[in-house]
Amino acid sequence: MKKSNKLTVYIFAAMIIGIATGYIVNYSFGKGTPTPEEQASIKKFADNVSILTDIFLRLVKMIIAPLVFSTLVVGVAKMGDIKAVGRVGGKTMLWFISATFVSLFLGLILVNLLKPGLSLGLPLPDAHAASGVSKADMTLRGFFHHVVPDSVVSAMAHNEILQIVVFAIFFGVAAAAIGEQAIPVVKLMDSVAHIMLKVTGFVMNFAPFAVFAAMAAIIADKGLSVLWIYGKFITQFYAGLFSLWIVLAFVGFLILGKPVLRLLGLIKDPVLLAFSTASSEAAYPRTMEELERFGCDKRIVSFVLPLGYSFNLDGSMMYMTFASLFIAQAYGMHLPFDQQITMLLVLMITSKGIAGVPRASLVVIAGTLSMFNIPEAGLLLLLGVDHLLDMGRSATNVIGNAMATAVVSKWENKLDLNGTEVKA
């Protein structure tokens, strides 16, 4: 069995064992109406076992900044000139903007068809209650403060991917501009990238333990009953995500042809990892490796993939319209279609550059709700199952970014399948 296939088996097994362990703990301490002492015991177990997940995610975050910076600098420098960077960047943004619109619009259509907010059957929080989720800074100044770094050291320390990307593009273009003098630096960055990919291999060996801990903690804390209470909403949302997967795969098939099936097969490990840890970042290094195995040019991968983590979070985009209108439905508010389209356009702008913000989707939704006079307290309906929903969002984000990278590689005539360049 190949090493990658072994990792898939180990991760899947860890998910099953984690769910079983969490259920046993929840049932043992929480059957009937748990006492405060039993609730404290469950919380202590969840907190302690999730240390394994925290360690894994911290190790991944340790890798992200040097990996993004080194690979992007090498990729941009080897493109040769600012025109090439602009051309690839333009094609990349064309895909990102199109995919964002499709994701948001699909969420809008599905929530209007399925109307999950009308059939929830749960008591509504007081419309004036605080959700505990801070709102996104939706000003133009706030957006550019999040995009443009005032310190590259601070950007790396806080894993601000978009700010790292901005600095790396400047650095790479400058390296290409000065020519031979930059060759030693580019070679150094190339060596750093290879070292970080080797470190990634070491860190990924810890993934099954993190997956086990993540599943055990969430099931021990929430119990399987949460799946029954919110079952219809969760099922409808995942049906929406599956619809988005089909759309992405279909568009990928139109552009890439049959090799899109091989691409989906190669990224099963990163998708499963993102799903089980509810973290797109956790899958970043492995996604990069699999895209290069598929035949994408390293320069394209190192340019498109980091940008995707700020501008192309397809699963999160669909969730934003789905959740915002779900809350409006739950409170009996009817938003005319023109207002819904306005909300979609607002989300297209405010959602950009949110990578690295904790609970980014909820932060953006909180700001959007207030703009349309929808009770922010409605977020309390989602907080209990947000982790379960985030698992699907994270997996979808990985698929969307992998597809974007492969498509841009094809558009640039840089997709090499079985040693044969595929022309556009």
Side-chain angles (χ1 to χ4, degrees), residues 132-180:
V133 179
S134 59
K135 298 177 184 177
D137 184 356
M138 293 191 172
T139 64
L140 188 63
R141 180 187 294 271
F143 173 78
F144 281 108
H145 278 189
H146 192 72
V147 171
V148 182
D150 57 358
S151 166
V152 67
V153 176
S154 174
M156 289 188 173
H158 294 94
N159 263 351
E160 292 281 358
I161 294 180
L162 189 55
Q163 294 186 4
I164 296 171
V165 166
V166 169
F167 179 74
I169 290 174
F170 273 103
F171 194 98
V173 169
I178 65 174
E180 291 186 5

mmCIF file of all heavy atoms in Angstrom, residues 132-180:
data_model
loop_
_atom_site.group_PDB
_atom_site.id
_atom_site.type_symbol
_atom_site.label_atom_id
_atom_site.label_comp_id
_atom_site.label_asym_id
_atom_site.label_seq_id
_atom_site.Cartn_x
_atom_site.Cartn_y
_atom_site.Cartn_z
ATOM 1 N N GLY A 132 -21.477 37.162 20.933
ATOM 2 C CA GLY A 132 -20.103 36.880 21.341
ATOM 3 C C GLY A 132 -19.135 36.819 20.183
ATOM 4 O O GLY A 132 -17.964 36.508 20.351
ATOM 5 N N VAL A 133 -19.615 37.106 18.967
ATOM 6 C CA VAL A 133 -18.765 37.097 17.775
ATOM 7 C C VAL A 133 -18.515 38.531 17.350
ATOM 8 O O VAL A 133 -19.457 39.295 17.117
ATOM 9 C CB VAL A 133 -19.435 36.332 16.608
ATOM 10 C CG1 VAL A 133 -18.544 36.371 15.370
ATOM 11 C CG2 VAL A 133 -19.716 34.895 17.012
ATOM 12 N N SER A 134 -17.248 38.914 17.269
ATOM 13 C CA SER A 134 -16.922 40.278 16.862
ATOM 14 C C SER A 134 -17.241 40.470 15.389
ATOM 15 O O SER A 134 -17.154 39.535 14.593
ATOM 16 C CB SER A 134 -15.431 40.569 17.103
ATOM 17 O OG SER A 134 -14.636 39.657 16.379
ATOM 18 N N LYS A 135 -17.606 41.693 15.027
ATOM 19 C CA LYS A 135 -17.962 41.983 13.641
ATOM 20 C C LYS A 135 -16.710 42.296 12.830
ATOM 21 O O LYS A 135 -15.713 42.777 13.356
ATOM 22 C CB LYS A 135 -18.922 43.184 13.579
ATOM 23 C CG LYS A 135 -20.249 42.951 14.292
ATOM 24 C CD LYS A 135 -21.108 44.199 14.247
ATOM 25 C CE LYS A 135 -22.396 44.012 15.033
ATOM 26 N NZ LYS A 135 -23.217 45.232 15.056
ATOM 27 N N ALA A 136 -16.802 41.997 11.537
ATOM 28 C CA ALA A 136 -15.692 42.326 10.648
ATOM 29 C C ALA A 136 -15.621 43.840 10.443
ATOM 30 O O ALA A 136 -16.637 44.523 10.440
ATOM 31 C CB ALA A 136 -15.884 41.631 9.297
ATOM 32 N N ASP A 137 -14.388 44.330 10.296
ATOM 33 C CA ASP A 137 -14.202 45.744 9.967
ATOM 34 C C ASP A 137 -14.478 45.911 8.476
ATOM 35 O O ASP A 137 -13.656 45.561 7.645
ATOM 36 C CB ASP A 137 -12.765 46.161 10.303
ATOM 37 C CG ASP A 137 -12.537 47.651 10.087
ATOM 38 O OD1 ASP A 137 -13.465 48.330 9.599
ATOM 39 O OD2 ASP A 137 -11.439 48.135 10.411
ATOM 40 N N MET A 138 -15.663 46.435 8.146
ATOM 41 C CA MET A 138 -16.088 46.475 6.753
ATOM 42 C C MET A 138 -15.748 47.775 6.047
ATOM 43 O O MET A 138 -16.238 48.036 4.968
ATOM 44 C CB MET A 138 -17.593 46.204 6.669
ATOM 45 C CG MET A 138 -17.959 44.792 7.062
ATOM 46 S SD MET A 138 -19.659 44.403 6.648
ATOM 47 C CE MET A 138 -19.679 42.650 6.996
ATOM 48 N N THR A 139 -14.925 48.615 6.657
ATOM 49 C CA THR A 139 -14.537 49.853 5.994
ATOM 50 C C THR A 139 -13.442 49.577 4.979
ATOM 51 O O THR A 139 -12.733 48.569 5.051
ATOM 52 C CB THR A 139 -14.024 50.871 7.026
ATOM 53 O OG1 THR A 139 -12.824 50.355 7.630
ATOM 54 C CG2 THR A 139 -15.065 51.124 8.112
ATOM 55 N N LEU A 140 -13.321 50.500 4.010
ATOM 56 C CA LEU A 140 -12.269 50.369 3.007
ATOM 57 C C LEU A 140 -10.897 50.405 3.670
ATOM 58 O O LEU A 140 -9.985 49.654 3.307
ATOM 59 C CB LEU A 140 -12.403 51.493 1.975
ATOM 60 C CG LEU A 140 -11.497 51.407 0.750
ATOM 61 C CD1 LEU A 140 -11.817 50.158 -0.058
ATOM 62 C CD2 LEU A 140 -11.648 52.655 -0.118
ATOM 63 N N ARG A 141 -10.756 51.274 4.681
ATOM 64 C CA ARG A 141 -9.501 51.368 5.420
ATOM 65 C C ARG A 141 -9.190 50.035 6.108
ATOM 66 O O ARG A 141 -8.055 49.554 6.073
ATOM 67 C CB ARG A 141 -9.587 52.490 6.459
ATOM 68 C CG ARG A 141 -8.309 52.655 7.293
ATOM 69 C CD ARG A 141 -8.525 53.675 8.405
ATOM 70 N NE ARG A 141 -8.738 55.012 7.850
ATOM 71 C CZ ARG A 141 -7.757 55.848 7.589
ATOM 72 N NH1 ARG A 141 -6.496 55.511 7.823
ATOM 73 N NH2 ARG A 141 -8.015 57.041 7.101
ATOM 74 N N GLY A 142 -10.204 49.439 6.726
ATOM 75 C CA GLY A 142 -10.004 48.167 7.419
ATOM 76 C C GLY A 142 -9.565 47.062 6.471
ATOM 77 O O GLY A 142 -8.708 46.243 6.811
ATOM 78 N N PHE A 143 -10.146 47.060 5.247
ATOM 79 C CA PHE A 143 -9.777 46.050 4.261
ATOM 80 C C PHE A 143 -8.302 46.163 3.881
ATOM 81 O O PHE A 143 -7.562 45.175 3.884
ATOM 82 C CB PHE A 143 -10.659 46.205 3.015
ATOM 83 C CG PHE A 143 -10.244 45.328 1.865
ATOM 84 C CD1 PHE A 143 -10.558 43.981 1.862
ATOM 85 C CD2 PHE A 143 -9.541 45.844 0.781
ATOM 86 C CE1 PHE A 143 -10.176 43.162 0.807
ATOM 87 C CE2 PHE A 143 -9.161 45.043 -0.275
ATOM 88 C CZ PHE A 143 -9.485 43.694 -0.265
ATOM 89 N N PHE A 144 -7.859 47.388 3.571
ATOM 90 C CA PHE A 144 -6.470 47.553 3.136
ATOM 91 C C PHE A 144 -5.484 47.366 4.286
ATOM 92 O O PHE A 144 -4.350 46.932 4.067
ATOM 93 C CB PHE A 144 -6.283 48.916 2.461
ATOM 94 C CG PHE A 144 -6.783 48.939 1.050
ATOM 95 C CD1 PHE A 144 -7.947 49.617 0.715
ATOM 96 C CD2 PHE A 144 -6.115 48.263 0.048
ATOM 97 C CE1 PHE A 144 -8.424 49.630 -0.587
ATOM 98 C CE2 PHE A 144 -6.573 48.267 -1.256
ATOM 99 C CZ PHE A 144 -7.735 48.951 -1.576
ATOM 100 N N HIS A 145 -5.910 47.671 5.509
ATOM 101 C CA HIS A 145 -5.046 47.395 6.658
ATOM 102 C C HIS A 145 -4.804 45.901 6.795
ATOM 103 O O HIS A 145 -3.736 45.475 7.256
ATOM 104 C CB HIS A 145 -5.678 47.948 7.939
ATOM 105 C CG HIS A 145 -5.433 49.411 8.130
ATOM 106 N ND1 HIS A 145 -5.753 50.084 9.280
ATOM 107 C CD2 HIS A 145 -4.888 50.344 7.300
ATOM 108 C CE1 HIS A 145 -5.418 51.362 9.160
ATOM 109 N NE2 HIS A 145 -4.898 51.536 7.958
ATOM 110 N N HIS A 146 -5.809 45.101 6.415
ATOM 111 C CA HIS A 146 -5.663 43.650 6.515
ATOM 112 C C HIS A 146 -4.858 43.074 5.355
ATOM 113 O O HIS A 146 -4.252 42.015 5.480
ATOM 114 C CB HIS A 146 -7.043 42.993 6.553
ATOM 115 C CG HIS A 146 -7.001 41.547 6.935
ATOM 116 N ND1 HIS A 146 -6.723 41.130 8.221
ATOM 117 C CD2 HIS A 146 -7.180 40.422 6.212
ATOM 118 C CE1 HIS A 146 -6.748 39.811 8.263
ATOM 119 N NE2 HIS A 146 -7.013 39.357 7.061
ATOM 120 N N VAL A 147 -4.839 43.795 4.230
ATOM 121 C CA VAL A 147 -4.152 43.295 3.033
ATOM 122 C C VAL A 147 -2.683 43.699 3.007
ATOM 123 O O VAL A 147 -1.799 42.874 2.725
ATOM 124 C CB VAL A 147 -4.857 43.794 1.757
ATOM 125 C CG1 VAL A 147 -4.031 43.470 0.517
ATOM 126 C CG2 VAL A 147 -6.248 43.189 1.641
ATOM 127 N N VAL A 148 -2.402 44.964 3.301
ATOM 128 C CA VAL A 148 -1.038 45.501 3.152
ATOM 129 C C VAL A 148 -0.309 45.425 4.493
ATOM 130 O O VAL A 148 -0.769 46.006 5.480
ATOM 131 C CB VAL A 148 -1.070 46.956 2.648
ATOM 132 C CG1 VAL A 148 0.343 47.477 2.454
ATOM 133 C CG2 VAL A 148 -1.861 47.043 1.347
ATOM 134 N N PRO A 149 0.827 44.728 4.547
ATOM 135 C CA PRO A 149 1.536 44.588 5.827
ATOM 136 C C PRO A 149 2.293 45.851 6.214
ATOM 137 O O PRO A 149 2.826 46.554 5.346
ATOM 138 C CB PRO A 149 2.513 43.437 5.546
ATOM 139 C CG PRO A 149 2.780 43.516 4.082
ATOM 140 C CD PRO A 149 1.499 44.007 3.448
ATOM 141 N N ASP A 150 2.312 46.155 7.519
ATOM 142 C CA ASP A 150 3.191 47.226 7.985
ATOM 143 C C ASP A 150 4.495 46.639 8.509
ATOM 144 O O ASP A 150 5.454 47.354 8.756
ATOM 145 C CB ASP A 150 2.504 48.079 9.063
ATOM 146 C CG ASP A 150 2.040 47.253 10.256
ATOM 147 O OD1 ASP A 150 2.213 46.022 10.231
ATOM 148 O OD2 ASP A 150 1.500 47.845 11.208
ATOM 149 N N SER A 151 4.514 45.306 8.659
ATOM 150 C CA SER A 151 5.730 44.608 9.075
ATOM 151 C C SER A 151 5.635 43.175 8.593
ATOM 152 O O SER A 151 4.682 42.458 8.940
ATOM 153 C CB SER A 151 5.886 44.643 10.600
ATOM 154 O OG SER A 151 6.870 43.710 11.022
ATOM 155 N N VAL A 152 6.602 42.746 7.801
ATOM 156 C CA VAL A 152 6.589 41.370 7.324
ATOM 157 C C VAL A 152 6.803 40.399 8.476
ATOM 158 O O VAL A 152 6.273 39.281 8.480
ATOM 159 C CB VAL A 152 7.644 41.163 6.215
ATOM 160 C CG1 VAL A 152 9.064 41.301 6.781
ATOM 161 C CG2 VAL A 152 7.470 39.791 5.566
ATOM 162 N N VAL A 153 7.545 40.829 9.487
ATOM 163 C CA VAL A 153 7.773 39.974 10.661
ATOM 164 C C VAL A 153 6.460 39.742 11.397
ATOM 165 O O VAL A 153 6.126 38.617 11.793
ATOM 166 C CB VAL A 153 8.816 40.608 11.605
ATOM 167 C CG1 VAL A 153 8.973 39.771 12.871
ATOM 168 C CG2 VAL A 153 10.157 40.750 10.891
ATOM 169 N N SER A 154 5.679 40.825 11.564
ATOM 170 C CA SER A 154 4.379 40.713 12.223
ATOM 171 C C SER A 154 3.439 39.832 11.405
ATOM 172 O O SER A 154 2.704 39.008 11.960
ATOM 173 C CB SER A 154 3.759 42.101 12.410
ATOM 174 O OG SER A 154 2.451 42.011 12.926
ATOM 175 N N ALA A 155 3.461 39.995 10.085
ATOM 176 C CA ALA A 155 2.600 39.187 9.212
ATOM 177 C C ALA A 155 2.919 37.706 9.359
ATOM 178 O O ALA A 155 2.022 36.862 9.435
ATOM 179 C CB ALA A 155 2.771 39.623 7.763
ATOM 180 N N MET A 156 4.207 37.367 9.411
ATOM 181 C CA MET A 156 4.597 35.963 9.564
ATOM 182 C C MET A 156 4.292 35.450 10.965
ATOM 183 O O MET A 156 3.877 34.294 11.139
ATOM 184 C CB MET A 156 6.080 35.795 9.241
ATOM 185 C CG MET A 156 6.416 35.953 7.771
ATOM 186 S SD MET A 156 8.124 35.525 7.394
ATOM 187 C CE MET A 156 8.102 35.616 5.602
ATOM 188 N N ALA A 157 4.480 36.307 11.953
ATOM 189 C CA ALA A 157 4.223 35.889 13.331
ATOM 190 C C ALA A 157 2.749 35.564 13.553
ATOM 191 O O ALA A 157 2.415 34.664 14.338
ATOM 192 C CB ALA A 157 4.666 36.983 14.300
ATOM 193 N N HIS A 158 1.872 36.285 12.837
ATOM 194 C CA HIS A 158 0.432 36.081 13.018
ATOM 195 C C HIS A 158 -0.188 35.280 11.874
ATOM 196 O O HIS A 158 -1.410 35.169 11.784
ATOM 197 C CB HIS A 158 -0.285 37.431 13.150
ATOM 198 C CG HIS A 158 0.092 38.192 14.381
ATOM 199 N ND1 HIS A 158 1.088 39.153 14.396
ATOM 200 C CD2 HIS A 158 -0.366 38.110 15.659
ATOM 201 C CE1 HIS A 158 1.212 39.643 15.624
ATOM 202 N NE2 HIS A 158 0.345 39.030 16.404
ATOM 203 N N ASN A 159 0.669 34.695 11.012
ATOM 204 C CA ASN A 159 0.197 33.886 9.883
ATOM 205 C C ASN A 159 -0.847 34.613 9.039
ATOM 206 O O ASN A 159 -1.856 34.037 8.631
ATOM 207 C CB ASN A 159 -0.377 32.554 10.379
ATOM 208 C CG ASN A 159 0.636 31.433 10.304
ATOM 209 O OD1 ASN A 159 1.703 31.596 9.729
ATOM 210 N ND2 ASN A 159 0.320 30.308 10.890
ATOM 211 N N GLU A 160 -0.601 35.887 8.777
ATOM 212 C CA GLU A 160 -1.465 36.662 7.883
ATOM 213 C C GLU A 160 -1.073 36.332 6.448
ATOM 214 O O GLU A 160 -0.206 36.966 5.843
ATOM 215 C CB GLU A 160 -1.317 38.159 8.156
ATOM 216 C CG GLU A 160 -1.859 38.610 9.496
ATOM 217 C CD GLU A 160 -3.371 38.753 9.475
ATOM 218 O OE1 GLU A 160 -3.972 38.527 8.410
ATOM 219 O OE2 GLU A 160 -3.947 39.076 10.526
ATOM 220 N N ILE A 161 -1.729 35.301 5.891
ATOM 221 C CA ILE A 161 -1.300 34.762 4.608
ATOM 222 C C ILE A 161 -1.319 35.818 3.508
ATOM 223 O O ILE A 161 -0.390 35.915 2.701
ATOM 224 C CB ILE A 161 -2.173 33.555 4.211
ATOM 225 C CG1 ILE A 161 -1.939 32.400 5.190
ATOM 226 C CG2 ILE A 161 -1.873 33.104 2.784
ATOM 227 C CD1 ILE A 161 -2.745 31.164 4.882
ATOM 228 N N LEU A 162 -2.379 36.607 3.453
ATOM 229 C CA LEU A 162 -2.490 37.593 2.384
ATOM 230 C C LEU A 162 -1.366 38.623 2.461
ATOM 231 O O LEU A 162 -0.797 39.023 1.436
ATOM 232 C CB LEU A 162 -3.850 38.282 2.440
ATOM 233 C CG LEU A 162 -4.195 39.195 1.262
ATOM 234 C CD1 LEU A 162 -4.072 38.450 -0.062
ATOM 235 C CD2 LEU A 162 -5.592 39.765 1.415
ATOM 236 N N GLN A 163 -1.020 39.056 3.657
ATOM 237 C CA GLN A 163 0.083 40.014 3.822
ATOM 238 C C GLN A 163 1.416 39.388 3.430
ATOM 239 O O GLN A 163 2.274 40.047 2.816
ATOM 240 C CB GLN A 163 0.126 40.515 5.262
ATOM 241 C CG GLN A 163 -1.083 41.343 5.658
ATOM 242 C CD GLN A 163 -0.955 41.960 7.040
ATOM 243 O OE1 GLN A 163 0.076 41.841 7.698
ATOM 244 N NE2 GLN A 163 -2.014 42.618 7.491
ATOM 245 N N ILE A 164 1.596 38.110 3.764
ATOM 246 C CA ILE A 164 2.822 37.399 3.359
ATOM 247 C C ILE A 164 2.891 37.317 1.838
ATOM 248 O O ILE A 164 3.951 37.504 1.232
ATOM 249 C CB ILE A 164 2.860 35.987 3.983
ATOM 250 C CG1 ILE A 164 2.940 36.076 5.509
ATOM 251 C CG2 ILE A 164 4.043 35.188 3.442
ATOM 252 C CD1 ILE A 164 2.758 34.744 6.215
ATOM 253 N N VAL A 165 1.748 37.041 1.201
ATOM 254 C CA VAL A 165 1.688 36.957 -0.258
ATOM 255 C C VAL A 165 2.077 38.294 -0.892
ATOM 256 O O VAL A 165 2.856 38.333 -1.852
ATOM 257 C CB VAL A 165 0.271 36.531 -0.716
ATOM 258 C CG1 VAL A 165 0.091 36.765 -2.219
ATOM 259 C CG2 VAL A 165 0.021 35.074 -0.386
ATOM 260 N N VAL A 166 1.549 39.393 -0.356
ATOM 261 C CA VAL A 166 1.855 40.717 -0.899
ATOM 262 C C VAL A 166 3.361 40.982 -0.836
ATOM 263 O O VAL A 166 3.978 41.402 -1.834
ATOM 264 C CB VAL A 166 1.082 41.813 -0.137
ATOM 265 C CG1 VAL A 166 1.592 43.208 -0.519
ATOM 266 C CG2 VAL A 166 -0.413 41.715 -0.430
ATOM 267 N N PHE A 167 3.975 40.737 0.323
ATOM 268 C CA PHE A 167 5.412 40.974 0.460
ATOM 269 C C PHE A 167 6.212 40.040 -0.437
ATOM 270 O O PHE A 167 7.191 40.457 -1.075
ATOM 271 C CB PHE A 167 5.834 40.794 1.919
ATOM 272 C CG PHE A 167 7.311 40.995 2.145
ATOM 273 C CD1 PHE A 167 7.871 42.264 2.122
ATOM 274 C CD2 PHE A 167 8.159 39.911 2.347
ATOM 275 C CE1 PHE A 167 9.231 42.455 2.312
ATOM 276 C CE2 PHE A 167 9.522 40.088 2.539
ATOM 277 C CZ PHE A 167 10.056 41.368 2.522
ATOM 278 N N ALA A 168 5.805 38.762 -0.505
ATOM 279 C CA ALA A 168 6.537 37.785 -1.323
ATOM 280 C C ALA A 168 6.498 38.153 -2.799
ATOM 281 O O ALA A 168 7.485 37.962 -3.521
ATOM 282 C CB ALA A 168 5.961 36.386 -1.109
ATOM 283 N N ILE A 169 5.360 38.690 -3.274
ATOM 284 C CA ILE A 169 5.267 39.107 -4.680
ATOM 285 C C ILE A 169 6.220 40.267 -4.958
ATOM 286 O O ILE A 169 6.957 40.252 -5.951
ATOM 287 C CB ILE A 169 3.816 39.499 -5.034
ATOM 288 C CG1 ILE A 169 2.925 38.252 -5.056
ATOM 289 C CG2 ILE A 169 3.757 40.214 -6.388
ATOM 290 C CD1 ILE A 169 1.452 38.548 -5.248
ATOM 291 N N PHE A 170 6.246 41.258 -4.053
ATOM 292 C CA PHE A 170 7.208 42.362 -4.201
ATOM 293 C C PHE A 170 8.638 41.823 -4.210
ATOM 294 O O PHE A 170 9.470 42.222 -5.041
ATOM 295 C CB PHE A 170 7.042 43.369 -3.058
ATOM 296 C CG PHE A 170 6.006 44.426 -3.318
ATOM 297 C CD1 PHE A 170 4.761 44.369 -2.722
ATOM 298 C CD2 PHE A 170 6.273 45.490 -4.166
ATOM 299 C CE1 PHE A 170 3.802 45.337 -2.962
ATOM 300 C CE2 PHE A 170 5.329 46.469 -4.411
ATOM 301 C CZ PHE A 170 4.084 46.391 -3.809
ATOM 302 N N PHE A 171 8.934 40.934 -3.284
ATOM 303 C CA PHE A 171 10.281 40.378 -3.147
ATOM 304 C C PHE A 171 10.664 39.586 -4.405
ATOM 305 O O PHE A 171 11.769 39.737 -4.948
ATOM 306 C CB PHE A 171 10.339 39.465 -1.915
ATOM 307 C CG PHE A 171 11.718 39.099 -1.463
ATOM 308 C CD1 PHE A 171 12.330 39.786 -0.429
ATOM 309 C CD2 PHE A 171 12.416 38.063 -2.061
ATOM 310 C CE1 PHE A 171 13.607 39.446 0.005
ATOM 311 C CE2 PHE A 171 13.701 37.714 -1.643
ATOM 312 C CZ PHE A 171 14.297 38.406 -0.600
ATOM 313 N N GLY A 172 9.740 38.745 -4.887
ATOM 314 C CA GLY A 172 10.021 37.933 -6.069
ATOM 315 C C GLY A 172 10.202 38.758 -7.320
ATOM 316 O O GLY A 172 11.096 38.493 -8.130
ATOM 317 N N VAL A 173 9.347 39.781 -7.509
ATOM 318 C CA VAL A 173 9.469 40.657 -8.676
ATOM 319 C C VAL A 173 10.795 41.416 -8.635
ATOM 320 O O VAL A 173 11.488 41.559 -9.661
ATOM 321 C CB VAL A 173 8.277 41.649 -8.734
ATOM 322 C CG1 VAL A 173 8.528 42.732 -9.778
ATOM 323 C CG2 VAL A 173 6.988 40.905 -9.046
ATOM 324 N N ALA A 174 11.183 41.887 -7.455
ATOM 325 C CA ALA A 174 12.463 42.596 -7.311
ATOM 326 C C ALA A 174 13.635 41.659 -7.605
ATOM 327 O O ALA A 174 14.616 42.060 -8.259
ATOM 328 C CB ALA A 174 12.586 43.172 -5.900
ATOM 329 N N ALA A 175 13.528 40.401 -7.153
ATOM 330 C CA ALA A 175 14.592 39.427 -7.420
ATOM 331 C C ALA A 175 14.732 39.178 -8.918
ATOM 332 O O ALA A 175 15.848 39.090 -9.451
ATOM 333 C CB ALA A 175 14.291 38.115 -6.690
ATOM 334 N N ALA A 176 13.584 39.077 -9.607
ATOM 335 C CA ALA A 176 13.628 38.874 -11.059
ATOM 336 C C ALA A 176 14.216 40.092 -11.766
ATOM 337 O O ALA A 176 14.934 39.965 -12.770
ATOM 338 C CB ALA A 176 12.222 38.589 -11.588
ATOM 339 N N ALA A 177 13.941 41.281 -11.224
ATOM 340 C CA ALA A 177 14.379 42.520 -11.866
ATOM 341 C C ALA A 177 15.892 42.702 -11.812
ATOM 342 O O ALA A 177 16.486 43.234 -12.758
ATOM 343 C CB ALA A 177 13.692 43.721 -11.221
ATOM 344 N N ILE A 178 16.540 42.266 -10.714
ATOM 345 C CA ILE A 178 17.989 42.499 -10.605
ATOM 346 C C ILE A 178 18.815 41.366 -11.211
ATOM 347 O O ILE A 178 20.040 41.459 -11.282
ATOM 348 C CB ILE A 178 18.422 42.736 -9.136
ATOM 349 C CG1 ILE A 178 18.191 41.493 -8.282
ATOM 350 C CG2 ILE A 178 17.690 43.923 -8.550
ATOM 351 C CD1 ILE A 178 18.742 41.639 -6.866
ATOM 352 N N GLY A 179 18.140 40.288 -11.643
ATOM 353 C CA GLY A 179 18.820 39.260 -12.421
ATOM 354 C C GLY A 179 19.803 38.400 -11.643
ATOM 355 O O GLY A 179 19.487 37.847 -10.595
ATOM 356 N N GLU A 180 21.066 38.342 -12.148
ATOM 357 C CA GLU A 180 22.048 37.394 -11.626
ATOM 358 C C GLU A 180 22.375 37.613 -10.154
ATOM 359 O O GLU A 180 22.691 36.667 -9.436
ATOM 360 C CB GLU A 180 23.336 37.473 -12.455
ATOM 361 C CG GLU A 180 23.183 36.940 -13.874
ATOM 362 C CD GLU A 180 24.524 36.913 -14.607
ATOM 363 O OE1 GLU A 180 25.553 37.230 -13.955
ATOM 364 O OE2 GLU A 180 24.532 36.575 -15.796
#
